Amino acid sequence: MGDLLRDGLTWLERQRSAHMTSPVTYRRAGQADAAVGATFGRTEFEITDDEGGAIRTHVVDFLILADELGLEPEAGDVIVADGRKHEVMDLGGDGCWRWSDPYRQTYRIHTKDIGADA
């Protein structure tokens, strides 16, 4: 008998990717653009300024299947969605992405909006 939990989560990730994504373009300097499906997300975090004050903010996340993207996200990459550019960014020293699921199928990529796509 197979791993029912893994099989179920794999099926759910495929359903999310098939039915809950929007087309986006993933750009990395020096490489061809990649058209992939992404689910929009949000990560809230808190940083402390130089005076010790806490600042709460959020970033726009994109959930993309790792095997569909075909490369590991890097800070400085750009995701174009709905006519806006989103730069992949390090999130407070924790990296620019994390796994969105326990079986490492989906990247949760942290970005900031940097303006309209020309």
Side-chain angles (χ1 to χ4, degrees):
M1 177 183 264
D3 183 338
L4 290 177
L5 184 57
R6 179 186 294 264
D7 293 345
L9 285 174
T10 298
W11 181 83
L12 282 172
E13 278 301 300
R14 297 293 173 195
Q15 294 304 305
R16 180 199 55 77
S17 182
H19 304 290
M20 298 176 61
T21 59
S22 297
V24 301
T25 302
Y26 196 94
R27 292 182 179 156
R28 177 172 288 167
Q31 295 189 9
D33 291 354
V36 296
T39 303
F40 292 75
R42 174 181 174 128
T43 295
E44 300 209 14
F45 67 102
E46 187 173 293
I47 56 175
T48 305
D49 64 17
D50 293 337
E51 285 77 41
I55 301 170
R56 292 193 55 85
T57 189
H58 73 275
V59 295
V60 176
D61 290 336
F62 292 92
L63 282 70
I64 301 174
L65 287 173
D67 62 355
E68 185 177 354
L69 186 57
L71 53 85
E72 185 174 302
E74 294 178 357
D77 293 349
V78 173
I79 298 173
V80 180
D82 294 334
R84 306 288 300 173
K85 293 189 299 187
H86 301 267
E87 183 178 351
V88 177
M89 61 175 273
D90 181 59
L91 188 60
D94 291 333
C96 62
W97 66 274
R98 64 181 167 90
W99 292 112
S100 182
D101 62 281
Y103 297 108
R104 298 179 176 209
Q105 301 173 85
T106 302
Y107 292 124
R108 174 177 285 271
I109 305 168
H110 310 302
T111 69
K112 63 181 175 184
D113 187 321
I114 58 171
D117 187 35

